[in-house]
Coordinates of all heavy atoms in Angstrom, one line a residue:
L887 N 5.8 11.1 6.7 CA 6.2 11.3 5.3 C 7.5 12.2 5.3 O 7.7 13.1 6.1 CB 5.1 12.1 4.7 CG 5.4 12.6 3.2 CD1 5.6 11.5 2.3 CD2 4.2 13.5 2.8
G895 N 20.2 12.2 -8.3 CA 19.3 13.3 -8.5 C 17.8 13.0 -8.6 O 17.0 13.8 -9.1
K896 N 17.4 11.8 -8.2 CA 16.0 11.4 -8.2 C 15.3 11.8 -6.9 O 16.0 12.0 -5.9 CB 15.8 10.0 -8.4 CG 16.3 9.5 -9.8 CD 16.1 8.1 -10.0 CE 16.6 7.7 -11.4 NZ 16.6 6.2 -11.6
T906 N -3.1 -3.5 9.8 CA -3.3 -4.9 10.0 C -3.3 -5.6 8.7 O -3.6 -5.1 7.6 CB -4.6 -5.2 10.8 OG1 -5.7 -4.7 10.0 CG2 -4.6 -4.6 12.2
T908 N -4.4 -9.8 7.1 CA -4.9 -11.1 7.3 C -3.6 -12.0 7.5 O -2.6 -11.9 6.7 CB -5.6 -11.6 6.1 OG1 -6.7 -10.7 5.8 CG2 -6.2 -13.0 6.3
S914 N 3.7 -3.0 10.3 CA 4.2 -1.6 10.1 C 5.4 -1.7 9.2 O 6.1 -2.7 9.1 CB 4.6 -1.0 11.5 OG 5.6 -1.7 12.1
I918 N 9.4 3.2 0.3 CA 10.4 4.1 -0.3 C 10.1 4.1 -1.8 O 10.3 3.1 -2.4 CB 11.8 3.7 0.1 CG1 12.0 3.6 1.6 CG2 12.8 4.7 -0.5 CD1 13.2 2.8 2.0
Q921 N 11.6 8.3 -7.9 CA 11.1 8.8 -9.2 C 12.1 9.8 -9.7 O 12.6 10.6 -9.0 CB 9.7 9.4 -9.0 CG 8.7 8.6 -8.4 CD 7.5 9.4 -7.9 OE1 7.7 10.3 -7.1 NE2 6.3 9.1 -8.4
W934 N 9.7 -1.9 0.0 CA 9.0 -2.0 1.3 C 9.9 -2.7 2.2 O 10.5 -3.7 1.9 CB 7.7 -2.8 1.1 CG 7.1 -3.0 2.4 CD1 7.2 -4.2 3.2 CD2 6.2 -2.2 3.2 NE1 6.4 -4.1 4.3 CE2 5.8 -2.8 4.3 CE3 5.7 -0.9 2.9 CZ2 5.0 -2.3 5.3 CZ3 4.9 -0.3 3.9 CH2 4.5 -1.0 5.0
D942 N 0.9 -15.3 17.5 CA 1.6 -16.2 18.4 C 2.8 -15.6 19.1 O 3.5 -16.3 19.8 CB 2.0 -17.5 17.6 CG 3.1 -17.2 16.6 OD1 3.6 -16.1 16.5 OD2 3.5 -18.2 15.9
T954 N 5.2 1.6 -8.5 CA 4.0 2.5 -8.3 C 3.6 3.0 -9.6 O 4.4 3.4 -10.5 CB 4.3 3.6 -7.3 OG1 5.3 4.5 -7.8 CG2 4.8 3.1 -6.0
K962 N -4.1 9.0 -6.3 CA -4.0 7.6 -5.9 C -2.9 6.9 -6.8 O -2.7 7.3 -7.9 CB -5.3 6.8 -6.1 CG -6.4 7.3 -5.3 CD -7.7 6.5 -5.6 CE -8.9 6.9 -4.9 NZ -10.1 6.2 -5.2
R978 N 3.1 -11.5 -2.9 CA 2.9 -10.4 -3.8 C 1.7 -9.6 -3.4 O 0.7 -10.1 -3.1 CB 2.7 -10.9 -5.3 CG 2.5 -9.7 -6.3 CD 2.4 -10.2 -7.7 NE 1.4 -11.3 -7.9 CZ 0.1 -11.2 -8.0 NH1 -0.4 -10.0 -8.0 NH2 -0.7 -12.2 -8.2
E984 N -3.7 5.9 -1.3 CA -4.4 7.2 -1.5 C -3.6 8.3 -0.8 O -3.6 8.3 0.4 CB -5.8 7.0 -0.9 CG -6.7 6.1 -1.7 CD -8.1 6.2 -1.3 OE1 -8.6 7.2 -0.9 OE2 -8.8 5.2 -1.6
Y995 N -1.0 -12.2 -2.3 CA -1.1 -13.5 -2.9 C 0.2 -14.2 -2.5 O 1.3 -13.7 -2.6 CB -1.2 -13.3 -4.5 CG -2.4 -12.5 -4.9 CD1 -2.3 -11.1 -4.9 CD2 -3.5 -13.1 -5.3 CE1 -3.4 -10.3 -5.3 CE2 -4.6 -12.3 -5.7 CZ -4.6 -10.9 -5.7 OH -5.6 -10.2 -6.1

Side-chain angles (χ1 to χ4, degrees):
L887 174 64
K896 295 180 181 176
T906 59
T908 308
S914 61
I918 303 163
Q921 301 164 304
W934 171 265
D942 67 1
T954 64
K962 297 179 182 180
R978 177 176 50 84
E984 293 194 24
Y995 303 83

